[in-house]
Amino acid sequence: VIDPDSGWPAWRQLADQLRGRILGGELQPGQALPSEERLRQETGLSRNTIRRAILTLRAEGLLLVDPPRGTFVRQPEEVTTVDVSAGTVSARMPTPDERREFSVPEGTPVLVVDHGGGQTSTYPADRVALRVTPGDPPENAS
Amino acid sequence: VIDPDSGWPAWRQLADQLRGRILGGELQPGQALPSEERLRQETGLSRNTIRRAILTLRAEGLLLVDPPRGTFVRQPEEVTTVDVSAGTVSARMPTPDERREFSVPEGTPVLVVDHGGGQTSTYPADRVALRVTPGDPPENAS
DNA sequence: AGAGATTTGTACGTATGTATG
DNA sequence: TCATACATACGTACAAATCTC
């Protein structure tokens, strides 16, 4: 169902279709995607093009790869809520160092809380949410 | 300076080197990266491998591409500060729809504020930071 | 234990299209 | 007009880890 004349790149059409099947619930969290070879047969695209689409969805945080077992729909992680009563919150993609340090998977941002005075806390955004509280709370992070 | 026997993929070594030159200030924001052909000559790698490295840095939010003018080191955007006095803040990668709606560039997360009662606000994380305030403030976002 | 199939990763090459300068 | 530079897309080959028989 990929149309080369649609004006959209084939890899993008495939990524859109797979994303739709994931967000639509047809492909459930934890479930394996069809293998690259299977997708190649189904779509008629080259393996490179298949991989380009999958790479995109990995960067979007929708897929995780466990080679050579397969490619899987991301499971939502258990979210820890951290209280914040003052400071500035921003988000960005982590550096590779930060990805190792905080075990941040592909396609996952980090939340950065600037407490002022050069004091910041960094959290993996797939496992941490920040609760904004009017009171004054404790803190725990690096 | 790419070593095929280092145990690391060539594209990753190149990405690491380019990232280092960007974070180290050798490649300044707004500055153009060497062209793919130039990098090919300098490294001896194939163009596919060069592009794999650049794609990685794009997903990290370090590079923006303006084809076929060139590939450029991302400029920090002007940051608008939005006050938040209550709610839960999280971050994730935007869907393609959200990227269009909020003009979110590649490799940039969105900040999502859950005000409770199904009310959420979404902001592009490269242009918005959230100030956590003890008071009670106004709100403006979709 | 071992052989073979499966699946993802890496890396190469080639060709063509399109927009810019 | 021509060269440059990024995008798309095809193909091939081999490696490494896992799974199955």
Side-chain angles (χ1 to χ4, degrees):
Chain A
V1 213
I2 269 87
D3 176 14
D5 302 327
S6 74
W8 295 100
W11 64 263
R12 201 186 194 296
Q13 294 181 52
L14 176 56
D16 289 345
Q17 288 176 18
L18 292 174
R19 190 188 305 103
R21 293 171 63 182
I22 293 169
L23 299 181
E26 180 187 344
L27 290 168
Q28 297 274 325
Q31 187 175 348
L33 224 61
S35 73
E36 296 174 358
E37 171 61 16
R38 192 89 175 74
L39 290 172
R40 196 188 60 74
Q41 292 168 358
E42 292 175 0
T43 62
L45 301 175
S46 73
R47 197 182 152 211
N48 281 346
T49 303
I50 306 284
R51 286 180 61 77
R52 179 74 169 85
I54 290 178
L55 208 59
T56 300
L57 299 180
R58 287 167 64 178
E60 291 178 12
L62 290 176
L63 295 178
L64 274 189
V65 182
D66 182 12
R69 286 197 41 240
T71 303
F72 300 87
V73 179
R74 277 270 294 265
Q75 303 259 18
E77 300 291 332
E78 192 131 349
V79 176
T80 300
T81 303
V82 173
D83 288 324
V84 176
S85 68
T88 303
V89 178
S90 57
R92 56 173 172 76
M93 296 312 282
T95 64
D97 284 347
E98 288 172 328
R99 287 196 41 205
R100 273 190 297 276
E101 183 177 356
F102 301 109
S103 301
V104 186
E106 279 187 302
T108 303
V110 287
L111 283 161
V112 181
V113 183
D114 186 336
H115 303 289
Q119 301 277 334
T120 63
S121 302
T122 305
Y123 307 95
D126 61 335
R127 279 168 288 149
V128 172
L130 304 176
R131 177 163 40 208
V132 176
T133 62
D136 61 297
E139 274 155 27
N140 46 341
S142 54
Chain B
V1 213
I2 269 88
D3 175 16
D5 303 327
S6 74
W8 294 100
W11 64 263
R12 202 186 193 297
Q13 294 181 52
L14 177 57
D16 289 344
Q17 287 176 19
L18 292 174
R19 191 187 305 104
R21 292 170 65 181
I22 293 169
L23 299 182
E26 180 187 344
L27 291 167
Q28 296 275 324
Q31 186 175 347
L33 223 61
S35 73
E36 296 173 357
E37 171 60 17
R38 191 89 175 75
L39 290 173
R40 196 189 60 72
Q41 293 169 356
E42 292 176 359
T43 62
L45 301 174
S46 74
R47 198 182 149 211
N48 281 346
T49 303
I50 305 285
R51 285 180 62 75
R52 180 75 170 85
I54 290 178
L55 207 60
T56 301
L57 300 181
R58 286 166 65 177
E60 292 178 12
L62 290 176
L63 296 178
L64 275 188
V65 182
D66 182 12
R69 286 195 43 239
T71 303
F72 301 88
V73 179
R74 278 270 292 268
Q75 303 259 17
E77 299 291 331
E78 192 131 351
V79 175
T80 300
T81 301
V82 174
D83 288 324
V84 177
S85 69
T88 302
V89 178
S90 56
R92 55 173 173 75
M93 295 311 282
T95 65
D97 285 348
E98 288 173 328
R99 286 195 42 201
R100 273 189 298 275
E101 184 177 355
F102 301 109
S103 301
V104 186
E106 277 187 302
T108 303
V110 287
L111 282 161
V112 181
V113 183
D114 187 336
H115 304 289
Q119 301 278 334
T120 62
S121 304
T122 304
Y123 307 94
D126 61 334
R127 277 167 289 149
V128 173
L130 304 177
R131 177 163 41 205
V132 176
T133 63
D136 61 297
E139 274 155 26
N140 43 342
S142 56

